[in-house]
Amino acid sequence: MSEEHVDAIVVGARCAGSAAATALAKAGRRVVALDAGRFPSDTVSTHLLFAGGVAELARLGALDRVEELDPPRHFDAYIGSPGAEVRGTYSPVDGIAYGMCVRRPGLDLALVRTARAAGAEVREGVKVTSLVRGKDGRVIGVRAAERGAKGELTLRAPLVIGADGRRSTVARLLGVDVPYLSNANERAGYYAYYEDPHDDWRGTAAMWLEGRELGTAFPTDGGLVLALLMPPKERADAFRLDLEGEYDRTVASIPGLAKRLAGAARATKIVASVEQPSYFRRSAGPGWALAGDAGHFKDPVTAQGIRDALRFGRLLGEAAAPVLGNPGRLDAVVRAWERRLVAECRETYHWTNRFARADPVNPLQEQMLRMLATEPHGSRRLLDVYSRVRKPSRLMTPAFMAACALGALRRGDTDRRALLRTLVRELRTEAAVTRDLRQAARHR
């Protein structure tokens, strides 16, 4: 068994892992990132970025490499339902006012190359098998095995970062894989890529709501469009029995999406993801941290995962790099990083859970879309929430929600009982969310 000593170890080299490794290497630290896979390779992901996510690629120094893949820029976004629709543009984030959708093989390879260019060593086909601990229980390294090689390698470092996804090996070895906060998903996910013949939609990320169905179309690199369906999870058995048939029937049941894909040939197999609960795990401890989906995960319905993985992977590397030689200061910095993550992401987590319900489109939702579509800059205020430059609570204020309810009530075609049920549920949810956010703030 061979042994090496480095400044930091990152387990997982996709979005969060490459971001952390890049930041550490830029600070002059010797960092080794280990990934069980090899690049380029795919992973289950909706891989949509709003303007705030593209800005994170730029902050990391990876945007130029990603742009080489020639993904179309999404200069606007669209949400449609049977009774309302809204289309808008983004507020600039660091001068960037567009989103993009980039397939993961190319995106992740661009991030790995960015990490290597910064000076990080990325070792592919290497799986972590156990953690190395000091006499006081502190994590001081990992043991890993290279695919096809005999024996194990021991790597020692002041900091081990687990960035190895929802099924994180590092989280399991640490005993923190059971979340302290979680929410079961109500929607499953099924997506495929189509050849995209509609040039007039190439600059638009679009979503349609129809009854309990949700479908999206995100133009991506390679002249393709990603078509994602998020039906109620109870329909998973029907999809399992006839994946292609159920997928096609669901597309046909969403008129806007069916029109968007008209004349487009499906170019790939359909990818399924049924179980995708949202959660927060404990993400910092003596000698270790969890970044990206290893530490917290939000339902993909709001497409926030890559943005947060890039941002908090980078911030972790930047914060830890100057104090790796001082265990006490390192632990304090890593705990402060976790508190910042919770402070920035907890409200978005709850907003995502609300949007991810597999409920029929309700009168309050439709009235909100109507009002945002007619207000000056209303659609931009909504997209600013997706870009993370505006908190959901600053959009869905009590006054705005009351105005939406009143507007829906005044419409002659509103189902008043459905509206009342929606209002009661929203008030209960708001009370629960407020309690959780206050509790989280007290523990910062």
Side-chain angles (χ1 to χ4, degrees):
M1 181 182 293
S2 59
E3 183 169 304
E4 294 181 47
H5 291 256
V6 297
D7 293 326
I9 302 163
V10 181
V11 182
R14 293 190 185 270
C15 297
S18 280
T22 298
L24 286 160
K26 283 183 175 179
R29 294 300 190 172
R30 186 188 173 198
V31 54
V32 173
L34 310 174
D35 200 289
R38 296 187 183 278
F39 300 98
S41 58
D42 208 353
T43 188
V44 176
S45 171
T46 54
H47 50 80
L48 177 67
L49 291 166
F50 299 99
V54 179
E56 290 299 334
L57 286 173
R59 290 167 184 160
L60 191 65
L63 183 56
D64 287 347
R65 289 183 178 84
V66 173
E67 293 274 20
E68 289 174 3
L69 301 168
D70 198 27
R73 294 182 176 185
H74 302 163
F75 289 105
D76 65 356
Y78 169 91
I79 300 176
S81 72
E85 60 182 10
V86 60
R87 183 189 292 266
T89 57
Y90 300 97
S91 294
V93 181
D94 293 349
I96 292 171
Y98 60 90
M100 61 173 57
C101 181
V102 190
R103 288 177 293 171
R104 289 298 295 270
L107 174 65
D108 293 352
L109 181 59
L111 292 170
V112 167
R113 287 174 171 167
T114 300
R116 284 174 169 154
E121 183 179 353
V122 181
R123 301 182 188 178
E124 303 172 47
V126 179
K127 182 176 179 60
V128 168
T129 57
S130 62
L131 300 176
V132 181
R133 294 181 181 267
K135 292 181 180 180
D136 57 356
R138 183 182 189 85
V139 174
I140 58 173
V142 302
R143 293 187 180 89
E146 185 175 0
R147 188 186 303 171
K150 294 182 179 180
E152 285 187 321
L153 165 70
T154 297
L155 279 167
R156 294 178 181 267
L159 178 64
V160 173
I161 298 173
D164 49 344
R166 289 187 290 158
R167 297 173 180 82
S168 170
T169 296
V170 176
R172 177 178 56 79
L173 293 173
L174 288 165
V176 298
D177 51 319
V178 177
Y180 65 82
L181 179 67
S182 64
N183 185 76
N185 60 297
E186 296 185 22
R187 294 185 180 275
Y190 302 90
Y191 67 84
Y193 299 93
Y194 286 73
E195 301 289 345
D196 192 1
H198 300 295
D199 290 343
D200 54 330
W201 280 91
R202 289 297 286 168
T204 303
M207 173 191 297
W208 291 269
L209 302 165
E210 186 77 27
R212 298 182 69 198
E213 301 300 329
L214 187 157
T216 68
F218 306 141
T220 187
D221 55 292
L224 302 174
V225 57
L226 169 67
L228 166 68
L229 305 178
M230 299 193 74
K233 194 167 66 171
E234 65 251 29
R235 292 186 56 208
D237 286 342
F239 275 88
R240 191 176 297 111
L241 291 172
D242 182 13
L243 180 59
E244 291 193 1
E246 199 67 19
Y247 184 95
D248 290 341
R249 284 188 288 272
T250 304
V251 169
S253 74
I254 307 173
L257 179 60
K259 184 178 180 180
R260 172 67 177 88
L261 297 178
R266 191 159 60 229
T268 67
K269 67 179 183 179
I270 300 166
V271 177
S273 179
V274 177
E275 296 298 332
Q276 45 199 21
S278 304
Y279 57 79
F280 277 87
R281 292 171 177 149
R282 182 186 167 202
S283 296
W288 63 270
L290 298 179
D293 291 351
H296 100 284
F297 177 79
K298 293 180 289 296
D299 192 290
V301 71
T302 56
Q304 298 297 313
I306 293 177
R307 181 267 185 194
D308 282 346
L310 294 170
R311 177 172 178 79
F312 289 100
R314 173 181 59 82
L315 290 175
L316 175 59
E318 290 174 351
V323 295
L324 289 172
N326 185 320
R329 289 187 62 196
L330 175 62
D331 292 349
V333 160
V334 172
R335 287 194 300 269
W337 166 84
E338 182 184 23
R339 290 193 296 272
R340 179 175 182 177
L341 183 151
V342 171
E344 290 190 24
C345 296
R346 192 81 155 234
E347 185 177 326
T348 302
Y349 165 88
H350 286 297
W351 167 65
T352 297
N353 290 340
R354 292 167 94 159
F355 192 52
R357 295 169 181 161
D359 296 337
V361 181
N362 63 62
L364 192 64
Q365 286 175 317
E366 291 205 327
Q367 184 62 24
M368 182 178 73
L369 291 178
R370 292 188 194 103
M371 291 181 64
L372 289 173
T374 57
E375 285 183 10
H377 307 298
S379 57
R380 177 166 289 192
R381 291 196 297 119
L382 175 60
L383 290 181
D384 284 350
V385 176
Y386 283 92
S387 278
R388 304 289 285 281
V389 296
R390 181 187 298 271
K391 290 185 177 182
S393 58
R394 289 183 55 213
L395 172 67
M396 297 183 292
T397 62
F400 178 66
M401 298 308 291
C404 289
L406 184 60
L409 191 63
R410 288 173 173 169
R411 292 181 63 87
D413 58 351
T414 295
D415 183 333
R416 296 194 173 195
R417 289 185 177 181
L419 177 60
L420 180 60
R421 288 193 298 269
T422 299
L423 289 172
V424 170
R425 183 174 186 182
E426 288 302 320
L427 287 171
R428 289 174 176 170
T429 300
E430 184 61 30
V433 169
T434 299
R435 285 195 300 270
D436 179 72
L437 293 177
R438 286 175 177 171
Q439 182 181 13
R442 286 196 297 269
H443 290 87
R444 287 177 193 165

